[in-house]
């Protein structure tokens, strides 16, 4: 499942609990067993007690119990909550004096309410300082006032510990209420208003995917399918996507999971994708409604398509006018990105990677188109030598490209201080031919299954699946406004002129 870190705690023993003969009595037993069975696979954290554990004979004896847990294999210590900064500072110093060298993280609880304070004190066995009791008592029935006091008090606690260089960071007990921790982070100046994306796509949960640095762009709007199809890979490309014969990772074609069942009920999908399709233009209108954020013929907003797991992202906003026009005329777009030339890596829309870097993108467009559009497009492409293309039908019998067969094209890359250039998104000819099987199958497997087998709707979708081709276009002139819209407008003019 991708879990790589364990906080090994004994927990609170139930009343009259007796340890089974083969059971564990202390957290150190759990630490030893994890290390014995799994080696260094897991990072292990253990609890530490600035006041000493409530069951310990003495504070100093408890320090040696903590040292025993560390020697058994713990990688770091998370402390119990405390109310005096100096208490943690002394605890950290004492740990170092007895030979505990692993990181020790202070545990801080921003007081959320009078009730939560009482509950935490009851569970932890700590004594609340009289100064806090006097401060909270007059406002105990005003949760907002208690919360504001709790934020102020915890902030002073954290600042004192960090200023004393007694800890590398802080652990917050949030009780599933994030406001206090967020507010303290903001006041400390360490809160980011948006999570930094390490790559243009979301990393998977499996720990092996932390090594993944490159993906074909075709699954950009359908990442769950891609992750499922590559979940058993032992390795991932770390530069270009070119080593298809490497034994380190498998082939996409080995995996049967071309499509995942939609989480949306069929009735809702029929409402978005129409309860009945009479002709191909009805399908065009569904695509148009999706990219234009308008209601379909049934008065329902289309928020997803079989090739897009959700609504279009913010990056597509500058393209919406062009996408809407193309879809209304039968060029059915399923993936796109604008060209970007040296935008800050901290940009809220297209930014990714480390701060103080610059990101780049080539304009990219992927779509289905009917045969007459394909013929006209092939003719028009002769006038655009700097546009790379792949065109293929369902069977693969009709396939056209002006790229080398096994050479990937970088379509997203970044330049960052002190690092090599990173190119996380590519157009790869080999994986495109695998993706096309999934892309064509979705016409029948997700959309077509909503209708009776002999219905006109199924016939319309089957005709599109069998007759249309899948196209991707890459405009290599990323420093200049993209030519793709002009290329496709001229293509449609050719079609109208036939």
């Amino acid at each position: 499942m991708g879990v790589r870190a364990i906080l090994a705690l004994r927990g609170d023993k139930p009343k009259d609990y007796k340890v089974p003969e083969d059971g564990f009595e202390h957290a150190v037993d759990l630490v030893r067993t994890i290390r014995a069975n799994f080696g260094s696979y897991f990072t292990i954290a253990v609890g530490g007690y600035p006041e000493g554990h409530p069951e310990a004979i003495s504070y100093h004896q408890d320090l040696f119990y903590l040292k025993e847990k560390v020697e058994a294999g713990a990688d770091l210590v998370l402390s119990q909550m405390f109310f005096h900064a100096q208490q943690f500072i002394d605890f950290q110093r004492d740990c170092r004096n007895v030979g505990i060298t692993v990181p020790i993280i202070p545990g801080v609880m921003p007081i959320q309410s009078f009730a939560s304070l009482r509950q935490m004190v009851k569970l932890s066995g700590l004594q609340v300082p009289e100064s806090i009791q006097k401060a909270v008592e007059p406002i105990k029935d005003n949760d907002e006032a208690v919360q504001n006091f709790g934020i102020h008090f915890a902030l002073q606690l954290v600042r004192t510990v960090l200023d004393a260089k007694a800890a590398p960071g802080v652990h917050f007990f949030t009780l599933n209420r994030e406001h206090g921790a967020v507010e303290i982070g903001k006041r400390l100046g360490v809160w980011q208003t948006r999570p930094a994306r390490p790559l243009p796509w979301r990393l998977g949960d499996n720990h092996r995917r932390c090594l993944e640095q490159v993906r074909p762009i075709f699954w950009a709007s359908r990442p769950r399918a891609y992750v499922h199809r590559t979940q058993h890979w032992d390795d991932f490309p770390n530069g270009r996507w070119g080593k298809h014969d490497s034994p380190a990772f498998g082939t996409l074609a080995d995996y049967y999971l071309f499509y995942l069942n939609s989480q949306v009920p069929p009735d809702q999908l029929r409402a978005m994708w129409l309860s009945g399709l009479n002709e191909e233009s009805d399908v065009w209108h569904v695509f148009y409604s999706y990219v234009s954020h308008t209601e379909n013929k049934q008065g329902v907003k289309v928020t997803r398509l079989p090739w897009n797991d959700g609504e279009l992202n913010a990056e597509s906003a500058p393209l919406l006018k062009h996408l809407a026009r193309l879809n209304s005329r039968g060029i059915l777009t399923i993936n796109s990105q604008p060209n970007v030339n040296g935008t800050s890596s901290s940009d809220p829309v297209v930014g990714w990677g480390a701060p103080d870097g610059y990101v780049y993108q080539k304009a990219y467009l992927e779509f289905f188109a009917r045969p007459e559009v394909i013929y006209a497009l092939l003719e028009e492409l002769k006038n655009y030598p700097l546009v790379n293309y792949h065109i293929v039908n369902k069977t693969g019998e009709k396939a056209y490209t002006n790229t080398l067969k096994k050479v990937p094209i970088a379509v997203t890359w970044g330049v960052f201080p002190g690092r090599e250039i990173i190119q996380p998104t590519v157009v790869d000819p080999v994986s495109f031919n695998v993706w096309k099987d999934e892309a064509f199958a979705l016409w029948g497997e997700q959309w077509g299954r909503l209708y009776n087998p002999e219905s006109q709707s199924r016939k319309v979708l089957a005709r599109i699946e069998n007759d249309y081709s899948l196209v991707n276009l890459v405009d290599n002139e990323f420093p200049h406004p993209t030519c793709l819209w002009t290329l496709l407008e001229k293509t449609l003019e050719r079609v109208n002129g036939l």
Side-chain angles (χ1 to χ4, degrees), residues 139-420:
I139 57 174
K140 65 181 181 180
D141 296 323
N142 185 336
D143 281 355
E144 183 176 358
V146 174
Q147 190 176 73
N148 288 336
F149 168 80
I151 290 171
H152 175 76
F153 180 81
L155 179 63
Q156 301 309 311
L157 209 62
V158 171
R159 277 181 172 158
T160 302
V161 170
L162 294 181
D163 288 347
K165 302 189 184 310
V170 180
H171 170 74
F172 288 107
F173 298 99
T174 65
L175 304 181
N176 292 327
R177 298 171 68 181
E178 83 288 348
H179 175 72
V182 171
E183 187 61 29
I184 292 170
K186 288 179 179 178
R187 295 188 190 184
L188 287 173
V190 298
W191 180 258
Q192 292 186 337
T193 56
R194 68 177 184 91
R197 295 191 302 170
L199 292 165
W201 27 266
R202 181 182 178 275
L203 291 175
D205 295 326
N206 190 303
H207 70 276
R208 287 178 298 189
R209 302 202 82 94
C210 294
L211 304 175
E212 184 180 15
Q213 296 182 21
V214 186
R215 280 187 187 179
I217 196 172
F218 319 121
W219 283 269
S221 299
R222 198 171 153 74
R224 289 174 61 239
Y226 178 77
V227 169
H228 272 271
R229 296 184 70 176
T230 58
Q231 62 182 321
H232 298 300
W233 282 12
D234 294 325
D235 200 358
F236 295 89
N238 59 8
R240 295 187 308 169
W241 187 267
K243 299 179 181 179
H244 297 284
D245 57 348
S246 170
F249 58 93
T251 169
L252 281 161
D254 289 342
Y255 297 92
Y256 62 89
L257 194 58
F258 286 6
Y259 32 82
L260 299 173
N261 291 329
S262 174
Q263 302 301 309
V264 181
D267 288 346
Q268 291 185 28
L269 294 178
R270 273 189 291 270
M272 289 191 288
W273 303 343
L274 301 182
S275 56
L277 304 168
N278 296 313
E279 53 192 5
E280 291 177 20
S281 60
D282 290 334
V283 175
W284 301 359
H285 183 75
V286 172
F287 276 80
Y288 168 81
S289 299
Y290 174 71
V291 299
S292 63
H293 301 296
T294 58
E295 295 179 349
N296 63 18
K297 294 178 179 180
Q298 297 176 173
V300 176
K301 187 177 179 182
V302 181
T303 59
R304 64 192 299 136
L305 291 173
W307 304 269
N308 301 82
D309 289 342
E311 296 191 65
L312 291 174
N313 56 38
E315 183 183 16
S316 300
L319 314 180
L320 295 184
K321 180 180 70 173
H322 300 289
L323 296 176
R325 180 170 172 78
L326 292 176
N327 281 282
S328 69
R329 300 162 75 187
I331 292 180
L332 307 179
T333 61
I334 60 172
N335 199 352
S336 61
Q337 73 174 25
N339 60 307
V340 172
N341 184 27
T343 296
S344 168
S345 61
S346 299
D347 184 87
V349 176
V350 299
W352 57 272
D356 302 318
Y358 296 91
V359 296
Y360 300 81
Q361 292 181 176
K362 294 177 184 177
Y364 174 81
L365 188 64
E366 188 177 344
F367 56 88
F368 291 100
R370 57 197 188 277
E372 55 267 38
V373 172
I374 298 301
Y375 299 144
L377 176 61
L378 285 168
E379 287 300 311
E380 193 60 40
L381 279 167
K382 296 176 182 177
N383 301 320
Y384 294 85
L386 291 178
V387 173
N388 287 123
Y389 61 87
H390 294 87
I391 303 172
V392 64
N393 68 347
K394 178 182 177 181
T395 64
E397 295 175 356
K398 296 180 180 179
Y400 313 93
T401 185
N402 63 347
T403 68
L404 298 175
K405 289 185 178 180
K406 291 190 177 182
V407 176
I409 303 169
V411 291
T412 308
W413 65 99
V415 181
F416 305 96
R419 298 194 63 181
E420 293 182 348

Side-chain angles (χ1 to χ4, degrees), residues 39-61:
S40 60
Y41 185 86
F42 291 104
T43 296
I44 301 177
V46 293
Y49 301 85
E51 290 188 4
H53 193 282
E55 298 176 13
I57 295 175
S58 69
Y59 168 79
H60 291 287
Q61 183 195 54

